[in-house]
Amino acid sequence: MNSTNRFANRFLILVTGLVLLVVGAAGAAAVLVPVVRDAWKDQAGAVDDQIATWVEQTQIGTAGISWITVAGLAVLVIAVILLVVFIVRQGRGHTRVAVTEPTSEHGTTVIEASVAEHALQEAIDGRPEFVASHVSTYRVRRTPVLKVSVTCRRGVSPKDAANIVEDALRALDTLLGRSIPTLIQISGGFRARVTTTTRLQ
């Protein structure tokens, strides 16, 4: 869970991978395949001459600079900016606040996410049904959402695991005086791996 669209993540990775694959394959073929290498040597001079002609014909005024060069640099700068934005957005979405409620005209009640996380973690840590567990808090559409991930021992029913976490969540609801939307992720055995439970409001 982060603030970047999942489809955008995968699409960018796919496009980048395909581009690198094509460039790498073309470079390898130009070096290792005799036919491709000879064809490239035969065409290299003509390609260089054509590029030089394009640059000469597309010069901007008397500056001696081709608009093709400017456009190429602009595309490169835009690509770098998009990649930087993409990298910076990774891992975002976490929040330190679980509950924010105005209690009166003069004040607001704020409950830190660590309070809810520690309470849930302590409630499910000692359970023999789980090999491991982790609780974190994310902001989804401006709403804090808990994510509870548990790894079950072999033979533990996903339904039983979900009930255990639900009991802990009901106790947390009583403690906080309100319910927090929660995603429960169950993994472990085959039956657990194919089951996820969501408690969202």
Side-chain angles (χ1 to χ4, degrees), residues 38-57:
D38 295 340
W40 171 250
K41 288 181 179 179
D42 294 339
Q43 297 297 324
V47 171
D48 289 341
D49 293 341
Q50 185 63 53
I51 293 175
T53 302
W54 287 343
V55 171
E56 185 177 352
Q57 292 176 347

Side-chain angles (χ1 to χ4, degrees), residues 100-122:
T100 303
E101 284 189 350
T103 52
S104 68
E105 298 178 351
H106 309 290
T108 300
T109 299
V110 177
I111 301 176
E112 292 189 356
S114 58
V115 174
E117 292 172 6
H118 291 162
L120 274 176
Q121 197 73 60
E122 289 182 4

Side-chain angles (χ1 to χ4, degrees), residues 146-169:
L146 290 171
K147 179 182 178 182
V148 183
S149 302
V150 294
T151 303
C152 300
R153 294 188 184 278
R154 185 183 299 274
V156 174
S157 166
K159 182 178 180 181
D160 293 340
N163 289 337
I164 293 170
V165 177
E166 284 282 357
D167 290 341
L169 285 170

Side-chain angles (χ1 to χ4, degrees), residues 12 24 33 56 65 67 69 71 85 102 123 142 162 187 196:
L12 181 59
V33 181
E56 185 177 352
I65 301 175
W67 66 264
T69 303
V85 171
R142 301 182 180 180
S187 60
T196 56

